[in-house]
Amino acid sequence: MSEKKVVVQRGLWFEEFETGVLYLHRPGRTITEADNVFFTTLTMNTQALHLDAAFSDALPPFNARLVNSMFTLSTLVGLSVTQLTQGTIVGNLGFSDIAFPKPLFHGDTLYAETEVVDKRPSKSRPGEGIVTFAHTGRNQHGDVVATATRKTMVRMRPADDPAQ
């Protein structure tokens, strides 16, 4: 009897990333009121736009509570992990160009996509490389609700990797 092939879910090694490739991360994540309140209070953010329905409902232009933009950003990046960086990332190096063109509301579903915009071997850390991602978050209507550029340090494929 032959051994079964085993596949371990992981992100991509540095060598597997190609600039210009767009990854669509599915499934999306429907954001609930509980998610928003928990994240907002957990992070000590007392902004009434996230917590106080009477206040928010009376305030134009949205007349509703908004999902905390830091939760939106965290979820946007989190949706990419399984496909791109699970077990292969060393760490985040920084975020830039963060924008929230439209808000998310309770009950909206966030879908994420990521384009690899740059990559280069690390000059100071052999066996690792820097990959730059452009993340875009869209709601269920296709409206862009968040964008961010993220630089990461990613491991190169180990020499003993059987897939090599």
Side-chain angles (χ1 to χ4, degrees):
M1 178 179 231
S2 65
E3 288 188 38
K4 290 184 179 182
K5 181 178 178 179
V6 176
V7 177
V8 177
Q9 185 172 340
R10 64 161 171 84
L12 302 177
W13 300 116
F14 174 79
E15 295 86 350
E16 294 175 297
F17 286 107
E18 297 176 51
T19 57
V21 173
L22 181 66
Y23 296 89
L24 303 180
H25 311 298
R26 300 296 184 267
R29 173 70 157 77
T30 301
I31 309 302
T32 68
E33 177 182 9
D35 295 328
N36 190 41
V37 170
F38 182 67
F39 183 89
T40 298
T41 55
L42 184 67
T43 58
M44 302 295 289
N45 181 340
T46 58
Q47 177 53 253
L49 284 172
H50 307 310
L51 297 173
D52 186 329
F55 173 84
S56 300
D57 290 352
L59 196 63
F62 303 113
N63 298 95
R65 280 178 289 168
L66 306 180
V67 172
N68 185 315
S69 59
M70 294 297 99
F71 180 69
T72 302
L73 178 62
S74 295
T75 306
L76 172 60
V77 171
L79 286 166
S80 75
V81 168
T82 303
Q83 193 172 15
L84 299 180
T85 61
Q86 180 66 49
T88 58
I89 191 172
V90 176
N92 288 316
L93 301 177
F95 287 82
S96 62
D97 306 315
I98 298 168
F100 304 99
K102 290 191 174 192
L104 273 180
F105 299 99
H106 300 154
D108 281 349
T109 301
L110 179 63
Y111 293 96
E113 57 193 55
T114 302
E115 182 177 352
V116 177
V117 294
D118 191 39
K119 72 176 242 187
R120 68 170 179 83
S122 172
K123 294 174 184 158
S124 61
R125 297 178 61 115
E128 298 171 359
I130 297 170
V131 180
T132 304
F133 300 116
H135 296 290
T136 302
R138 298 178 188 275
N139 65 16
Q140 67 275 16
H141 307 294
D143 301 324
V144 175
V145 297
T147 58
T149 300
R150 175 171 69 125
K151 284 190 181 230
T152 60
M153 183 74 72
V154 176
R155 291 180 176 87
M156 291 183 177
R157 184 188 302 276
D160 62 351
D161 182 13
Q164 194 162 321

